[in-house]
Amino acid sequence: MTDSSSSIITITSNNLSNKSCNFRVQDKPLGIEKNVKMGTVHLVGAGSGDPELLTLKALRIMQKADVVLYDSLVSEDILDMCALTAEKVFVGKRRANHAIPQEGINELLVKHALAGKTVVRLKGGDPFIFGRGGEELQEVVRHGIRFESIPGITAASAAASRAGIPLTHRDYAQSVKFVTACKKSGAPNNDYYEHLDSKQTVVFYMGLNRLYEMTQGLIAAGRDSNTPFAVISHASLPTQQLLIGTLGSIANQQAVAKLPTPALLIMGNVVTLYHEFASYNLGVLGENVLIDVDEFATSKVLMRDLENAI
């Protein structure tokens, strides 16, 4: 046999009347060694950070992992639920600050899987919602590696649910749109004319640092400046904070409040339901909530005990 990855083997047998039989050996995935069982890649959504919101299937796979490649949005509590023997590799990304570039992450996935390991790619939220999960799987399957994708609770669902802001409601929003504030290579997403439907809830990911620019762009495109607007920081965690206002006021409120990232921006009439639910919502009682309370004929107020303040 030659050293090429695809060879012709000729077998001659007297029982076959000296006729040659040709067998083709298929190409091997790049980098795999002889007699090494192919590993697998499991793309796991770690959810919004609350370990109680992790799926049972995700937990089962995490506890079988040989290697865990995890992002910065994966909480320590969730990381501690991985197999004790697993090698844990931080590959986090925050705004233009990447511990390892995306190409390097792809290479690690392939390297460990070709070495026969069970690889868990642990991502905050859901891997297929602005998590680059599709890009990573493209590289995995290019090398003939089998994979499994396990969904997680995306930040929009977790943040809105805890805050008591339904993303859809028959009277307020007949559709919901998830939008990234930044395109590939950090280019801003300025497609503001796509978000003018008052019967639609729009959730912006990764937009807190562009809040003023985005709100001004939406207003200039024709969205009503009185459209209810919410900023939700640290979705589903004990440190979750809410900023409630309007499209026209929210940027000024954030300039004072300085809610930290990661944060979600929710725009639409469903935000008004926050006030209806808040005093009964166990998910927000006692949280820090900064509300533009002009509708209550008072100034802006930081409410540390929401139950007593409303």
Side-chain angles (χ1 to χ4, degrees), residues 90-300:
F90 175 66
V91 293
K93 298 183 288 291
R94 280 290 187 92
R95 213 184 167 186
N97 181 17
H98 296 181
I100 298 178
Q102 186 61 56
E103 294 77 11
I105 298 172
N106 295 349
E107 290 175 4
L108 285 173
L109 289 170
V110 170
K111 171 187 172 182
H112 288 299
L114 291 181
K117 297 178 181 178
T118 298
V119 185
V120 166
R121 177 67 174 103
L122 194 57
K123 291 174 171 285
D126 184 275
F128 283 174
I129 300 181
F130 306 124
R132 304 189 186 187
E135 296 175 38
E136 293 177 2
L137 290 184
Q138 285 178 305
E139 185 68 11
V140 165
V141 300
R142 190 176 78 82
H143 287 79
I145 301 167
R146 293 185 177 182
F147 74 89
E148 180 180 25
S149 182
I150 301 172
I153 296 179
T154 188
S157 295
S161 180
R162 183 177 174 94
I165 299 175
L167 293 176
T168 63
H169 188 290
R170 289 190 297 173
D171 295 331
Y172 296 92
Q174 286 72 53
S175 63
V176 59
K177 181 184 291 185
F178 294 168
V179 181
T180 177
C182 297
K183 297 181 179 179
K184 195 170 184 178
S185 302
N189 185 355
N190 296 327
D191 300 331
Y192 301 124
Y193 289 96
E194 300 295 321
H195 315 309
L196 303 183
D197 185 356
S198 63
K199 290 292 186 180
Q200 182 178 75
T201 304
V202 183
V203 182
F204 297 96
Y205 284 67
M206 299 166 284
L208 190 60
N209 292 298
R210 295 189 57 237
L211 183 59
Y212 179 80
E213 175 188 343
M214 290 174 59
T215 54
Q216 292 303 303
L218 287 162
I219 293 171
R223 192 75 194 235
D224 188 344
S225 62
N226 291 318
T227 301
F229 204 102
V231 175
I232 306 178
S233 174
H234 291 191
S236 82
L237 297 176
T239 53
Q240 176 167 308
Q241 297 181 69
L242 286 77
L243 191 62
I244 309 291
T246 66
L247 182 61
S249 70
I250 199 71
N252 289 334
Q253 290 175 254
Q254 170 59 11
V256 175
K258 294 181 171 56
L259 266 62
T261 56
L264 271 293
L265 316 177
I266 301 179
M267 177 177 71
N269 292 326
V270 291
V271 174
T272 61
L273 291 168
Y274 169 83
H275 302 298
E276 182 176 339
F277 299 152
S279 58
Y280 299 94
N281 183 0
L282 295 175
V284 299
L285 293 177
E287 282 188 345
N288 291 342
V289 184
L290 185 62
I291 302 178
D292 184 347
V293 288
D294 291 339
E295 62 186 285
F296 300 120
T298 61
S299 61
K300 296 172 186 175

